[in-house]
Every structure is written in structure tokens, then in C-alpha cells.
Amino acid sequence: MELVEIFKTLVKIPSPSMAEEAVAKKIIEILTETGIKTRKDNYGNVYAEYDGGNQDKPSLLLSSHMDVVGDDSPVNIVERDGFIETDKTRTLGADDKAGVAAILKLFLDMKAETDKLSYGEKPLYGRLEAVFTRDEENSMTGIENVEFNNLNSEYVLVLDSDKLGNFEISGAGYIKLTISVKTPYGGHSGLDISDEKRLNAAKLIAEIIEKVPQGVQKADETGTITSVNLGSVIGGGVENAFYEAVKRNLKGKAAVEFVAKNSMSNIINTSAFAHYSLRSSDINAQDVLISKIKDIILAFNEKYQGLAEAKLEIEEHLPVFEKAGDDFLINVAKKAAGALGIDLKIQSFHAGAETHIYANRKNAQNLAFKPVLAGIADVFNMHSVDEKIDIESYKKGYEFLKAFVKEL
């Protein structure tokens, strides 16, 4: 089977998160028909393994996810102007079936080329493992349930970036910060406004927001390393307006504007909240920033002791993916890309992926995985009905993947 043929076969199978059974069955079918060892774990992730016979090469794990953004409606694909896309009724699913199909094609080619070797010829490939996960787009429960202790590779290529040549060696963890301010004395905005102990929590939280940093806090040649962003501020008498918005079945922007315009202004507010995202691919920089915010909260509480209290809640949603301690995969990628004339972009990415989970897990030999997020095709408008994949870039990306594995 050719690369594009495999890709088309897979994208025609709807596979929303937690409904990947049909595409998993097809993956197993394609591999087992060629004699590739496959298995499925209790959670529904699929594993494949093939030993190319070259013992001088380190084992490599390839990883992609089977689920896509979208529902179980038919996927009608169209090929035009050098792209594969849909009829605009739903998403294509190149994220991440481009990665899945490329891994399948590589296994098939490895097996075919190894079977043709004459006696005494040195094999071109080492040992290759693959994991096809479920539920990446929704909650990443698939990767969380991977049987890491049954995997032998130390180095990992996660094929889930959206541009050919992207080689992302670190990624930001994602932490949610919630700052709350509570005051013990509320009151009427007219009758009690002169009482100096009745401080307004919505006003007070503005003092904290003014001191908490905003935006990029650390960057280098690979991109943004650490940032913090204020996502929302909620304070004061919003309860009644929120209740009325629900009664009126208002949603989205209309609900927000209604609450904003109809919140109570005749009370001295006793609670307020500020919600932040903190992203960092450097644990030390992340900890320094959190420590700074804690100091701001501490100073606030000392200033308003007995009149107001601020608290900071920290909730980790994705661990930090830090750069590996060696440049082995980078050097291999440079050689493979250079031979093909591909512009390799070694960078950090300021978002989440399955690399973050791999980077914080260990393999069967109790060694920490060393993952990289790699792009093998130009995919546009991901997660939308306008999603499309550039065919020539995909073919070139597969050449890079194959050259990379041989160079390893």
C-alpha cells in the first residue's frame, strides 16, 4: 500500500475521541496481514513492534493518536490542487492520521526491505516500536494509560506537529492558577459605603492583578519558554444576573454581556476571582514565577490582615516537557533533513502534546523517555471543516521519517 492510499483509508473511518475502535481494527489488520506483531491493551491503545535486525542502532518508539476532532458522521474526502480535504461537512482528521499512516507505511517498507536482504547483508533498520493512542484530542486518557513499562525504546518521535520540518524539542507545561479574594464585611453600597472596614473584594483583586506579571516571562532562540496569562476576572454580585441568563437560555457572548450589564452594583462585594494560565517548558523558570506570585499574595494578606484574605490555588493540567539531556535525535534529524533539503526548525512549542507525558515516564529499563514532536506534512486549518493536507509535503515528510530511521 502506498502512503496516500493508507492515509485515505484511515481518514474515511470516523474516529472521535473514545470511539476509535474501527480505526484501531484497521491499523491491526494492515500490520498483521504483513506479519508485523501487534497487540491492543485493555484501554484500547494499539502497539506494534518490528526488529529490523541491526543491533548497532538504538530502539526507536514512534507515536501518533487515532482520534480526531469531530463526530461519527461520514468523511467524504476530495483531492484537488495538490491537497486532500473534505467536502466541507466535517473535519478531515489529518491530525493525526497523517502520523498514523506514515508509521504504518514505514513498518510495511521496513518489513519488505528486510525480507529482501541477501545472506550477510547488513540490515538498514534497528528495532522499531509504535504506539497508537486514543483520546488525545479530548482528555489524553489514552497516553495516560499506555503500558510504558512494556516499551523498550528510550527515544521517541511523536508525529503530531502541523508543519513539515518542525522538530520540537521541548514544550510548555500547563498550570491553572486561581486567585481569590474574600472580605468578611459586605454591605449596601449606599448605607454602608462610609464604613472603612467594609472593603470591596472586586476592587482589591485589581491590586493583585496589577502586580502579577502578564505575557512572556522567558524566551530564547527556540521560542517562548515561560508565560502567564490572565484569562478571566469574576467579582461581585453576579449570582442573580447569572441565574436570569440561564432562565433566558442565553449562551456564549450573549450570556456574558447580559451578566456584565445586569450584575448588582448596590452591594459591597465580598468575593472576587482571577483565573490565569501559566505555561513553561523550564521547570525552574516556572517555579520562580509561581514563587513571585505567592509573594504578591503574602504581601497582600499582610497589608489587609483582618479585612481581606487572598488565596492562590495551583492546579497542574499538563507536566512540563523539558529538553532531553543529549542532542542525539537533533543530530540525526539534521542529517536526514539536510540530505533531503528540508528546512529543519528546531524549536520549543508553547502548548501541550503527548510528548509531555512521555517526558515524565520511564520505559522497561527504568530509563526516562526522550521525546520529540515532529512534523511530517503541512496541515492547514486543523480542527475545522477547512482542514487540508498538502500531498507533496506529506510524501517529502515520509521520506524524512524513513531517512531518519535509517540514519539512527
Side-chain angles (χ1 to χ4, degrees):
M1 295 178 74
E2 294 302 316
L3 174 68
V4 174
E5 179 188 354
I6 298 172
F7 174 74
K8 287 180 178 179
T9 298
L10 295 180
V11 295
K12 287 178 182 178
I13 304 172
S15 57
S17 299
M18 300 307 292
E20 305 92 348
E21 292 81 4
V23 77
K25 182 179 179 181
K26 177 56 69 172
I27 290 168
I28 293 170
E29 176 187 310
I30 291 171
L31 292 175
T32 53
E33 283 181 352
T34 318
I36 304 294
K37 181 180 177 182
T38 63
R39 67 183 180 88
K40 198 174 181 181
D41 65 25
N42 291 332
Y43 198 74
N45 298 309
V46 176
Y47 303 79
E49 183 180 338
Y50 183 74
D51 192 343
N54 191 326
Q55 303 304 314
D56 295 331
K57 294 177 180 290
S59 178
L60 177 68
L61 173 63
L62 299 174
S63 182
S64 291
H65 62 86
M66 299 181 288
D67 65 315
V68 304
V69 170
D71 54 26
D72 60 358
S73 61
V75 186
N76 303 309
I77 62 173
V78 178
E79 188 172 337
R80 58 179 166 227
D81 300 327
F83 292 93
I84 297 173
E85 54 191 323
T86 71
D87 58 357
K88 308 298 185 183
T89 59
R90 60 156 297 143
T91 56
L92 175 64
D95 173 20
D96 187 25
K97 286 176 180 172
V100 174
I103 295 173
L104 294 181
K105 176 61 173 170
L106 181 61
F107 268 92
L108 300 185
D109 284 355
M110 279 180 60
K111 179 73 164 55
E113 291 174 28
T114 303
D115 287 348
K116 290 179 182 177
L117 289 175
S118 302
Y119 179 78
E121 277 190 272
K122 190 170 184 178
L124 294 173
Y125 302 99
R127 182 179 188 176
L128 198 66
E129 296 178 296
V131 176
F132 304 99
T133 59
R134 64 185 313 195
D135 192 34
E136 188 271 352
E137 298 290 3
N138 187 33
S139 301
M140 284 200 186
T141 58
I143 187 68
E144 289 284 2
N145 283 278
V146 162
E147 296 172 355
F148 298 105
N149 60 346
N150 287 326
L151 298 171
N152 291 283
S153 302
E154 180 181 5
Y155 296 103
V156 186
L157 275 187
V158 178
L159 304 181
D160 194 19
S161 188
D162 65 339
K163 290 293 177 288
L164 172 62
N166 282 2
F167 204 73
E168 294 163 316
I169 57 174
S170 63
Y174 179 37
I175 291 177
K176 287 186 177 182
L177 304 176
T178 300
I179 297 172
S180 62
V181 172
K182 299 289 180 68
T183 58
Y185 310 110
H188 190 280
S189 65
L191 300 176
D192 301 312
I193 198 70
S194 62
D195 189 342
E196 293 183 356
K197 73 175 182 296
R198 298 177 188 271
L199 300 182
N200 190 308
K203 175 70 167 64
L204 291 179
I205 204 167
E207 289 188 25
I208 297 176
I209 292 171
E210 196 276 329
K211 291 181 172 64
V212 172
Q214 167 66 30
V216 176
Q217 303 301 303
K218 181 179 180 180
D220 63 15
E221 67 279 359
T222 65
T224 300
I225 301 299
T226 305
S227 71
V228 61
N229 179 68
L230 175 62
S232 64
V233 182
I234 299 175
V238 298
E239 295 90 343
N240 291 351
F242 177 77
Y243 176 71
E244 183 62 28
V246 171
K247 279 177 54 179
R248 298 186 183 197
N249 199 30
L250 297 175
K251 297 178 181 178
K253 183 179 179 182
V256 172
E257 290 184 352
F258 180 86
V259 172
K261 293 177 180 178
N262 293 278
S263 296
M264 297 175 68
S265 61
N266 64 344
I267 62 171
I268 299 173
N269 302 305
T270 57
S271 64
F273 304 87
H275 197 48
Y276 287 85
S277 66
L278 191 161
R279 300 178 186 270
S280 181
S281 54
D282 182 323
I283 291 176
N284 183 62
Q286 170 185 289
D287 291 345
V288 167
L289 181 54
I290 290 175
S291 180
K292 183 175 183 178
I293 295 172
K294 285 181 177 179
D295 287 342
I296 292 169
I297 300 297
L298 181 63
F300 176 90
N301 286 336
E302 289 177 351
K303 178 179 178 181
Y304 292 105
Q305 188 173 11
L307 297 174
E309 182 181 18
K311 291 184 178 179
L312 174 66
E313 295 179 34
I314 302 172
E315 183 181 358
E316 182 183 77
H317 275 242
L318 197 65
V320 173
F321 160 34
E322 289 196 292
K323 180 182 178 297
D326 64 60
D327 290 337
F328 178 66
L329 292 184
I330 294 175
N331 293 332
V332 172
K334 284 180 177 178
K335 291 180 181 178
L340 294 167
I342 293 173
D343 180 18
L344 192 71
K345 299 179 180 65
I346 299 168
Q347 56 195 13
S348 175
F349 66 109
H350 213 56
E354 291 181 324
T355 44
H356 294 62
I357 309 301
Y358 279 115
N360 290 276
R361 297 292 192 275
K362 294 184 178 180
N363 67 7
Q365 288 74 45
N366 203 37
L367 296 172
F369 289 103
K370 296 176 179 177
V372 165
L373 188 73
I376 57 167
D378 291 337
V379 181
F380 301 89
N381 309 313
M382 284 165 52
H383 298 181
S384 78
V385 296
D386 294 316
E387 183 183 4
K388 61 183 180 179
I389 184 171
D390 180 270
I391 298 172
E392 288 307 312
S393 74
Y394 190 27
K395 291 178 179 178
K396 190 95 172 197
Y398 177 70
E399 290 179 34
F400 167 75
L401 176 63
K402 196 170 181 180
F404 182 95
V405 174
K406 287 182 178 179
E407 185 62 42
L408 201 72

